[in-house]
Amino acid sequence: ASAAPATASGRAAADSGSALPENVFGIASRTEVGYEMWDMFGPYTEVVDPEAFDGTLAAEPLVEFALNHSAGGGAPMAHTRNDTLTLSVTDEGLAYDARVDTTRTDVSDMVKALQRGDLAEASFKFRIVRGQWSPDYSEYRILEVDLNRGDVSAVNFGANPTATSSARALQQ
């Protein structure tokens, strides 16, 4: 059973003078929620295991936050290397919280799209370390991933439509 995607939300910072939220957050990958993928043999269901992120997060990977996986060569909007991006595993999946600079026009445009609900999904760029097919090849379970030099992204359309992005004012 797949969960309905959460709606995007945003709230202006009350006292900071900023007109836009300064945190973008969400679930870049939902665990135990199947989604349809395709390969040369046709459609199949892909599922990310709840423990798939444990090893890579323990290794403190270099991961950036981007819009649409930096399609078109966009600069990172937050990064684990400077502690502006935090990754964790929750009951829902791979969570991210990015402290972004809304004085940058690309970031400001993305936050506005999140606030309006034009942009509401998330995704992540990774390498599969270990996975397993079901006996009938109808399901592929991702057991372990490597996030190093990958990303978490707010996207127009994610592979798993229940992965979400939202914006909020920075909590002081």
Side-chain angles (χ1 to χ4, degrees):
S2 66
T7 58
S9 62
R11 182 171 52 89
D15 298 321
S16 69
S18 172
L20 295 173
E22 297 171 321
N23 274 66
V24 176
F25 64 99
I27 302 295
S29 175
R30 294 234 183 235
T31 53
E32 293 301 332
V33 176
Y35 49 94
E36 188 174 41
M37 296 292 287
W38 302 266
D39 64 13
M40 60 193 269
F41 301 108
Y44 64 93
T45 300
E46 188 168 87
V47 178
V48 179
D49 190 85
E51 296 177 2
F53 303 104
D54 293 351
T56 192
L57 291 181
E60 298 181 6
L62 291 175
V63 179
E64 65 184 24
F65 171 72
L67 174 62
N68 287 318
H69 303 294
S70 295
M77 297 180 178
H79 208 291
T80 58
R81 78 165 44 105
N82 63 0
D83 295 324
T84 56
L85 174 64
T86 304
L87 304 172
S88 60
V89 176
T90 69
D91 290 341
E92 294 180 273
L94 177 65
Y96 71 92
D97 195 336
R99 182 171 179 174
V100 297
D101 177 1
T102 56
T103 64
R104 285 177 43 181
T105 57
D106 58 340
V107 174
S108 174
D109 289 346
M110 177 203 57
V111 169
K112 289 174 187 175
L114 285 165
Q115 286 179 303
R116 283 176 31 114
D118 300 329
L119 188 63
E121 295 186 20
S123 184
F124 68 117
K125 187 172 16 176
F126 63 100
R127 285 181 297 284
I128 296 174
V129 174
R130 194 167 45 93
Q132 183 175 9
W133 284 102
S134 64
D136 66 357
Y137 294 93
S138 66
E139 181 180 287
Y140 186 73
R141 176 170 284 274
I142 298 174
L143 300 172
E144 183 179 356
V145 301
D146 182 359
L147 292 171
N148 195 47
R149 299 184 152 310
D151 75 29
V152 292
S153 285
V155 297
N156 296 354
F157 300 105
N160 184 338
T162 68
T164 60
S165 291
S166 295
R168 68 172 171 247
L170 182 63
Q171 301 299 311
Q172 299 294 335

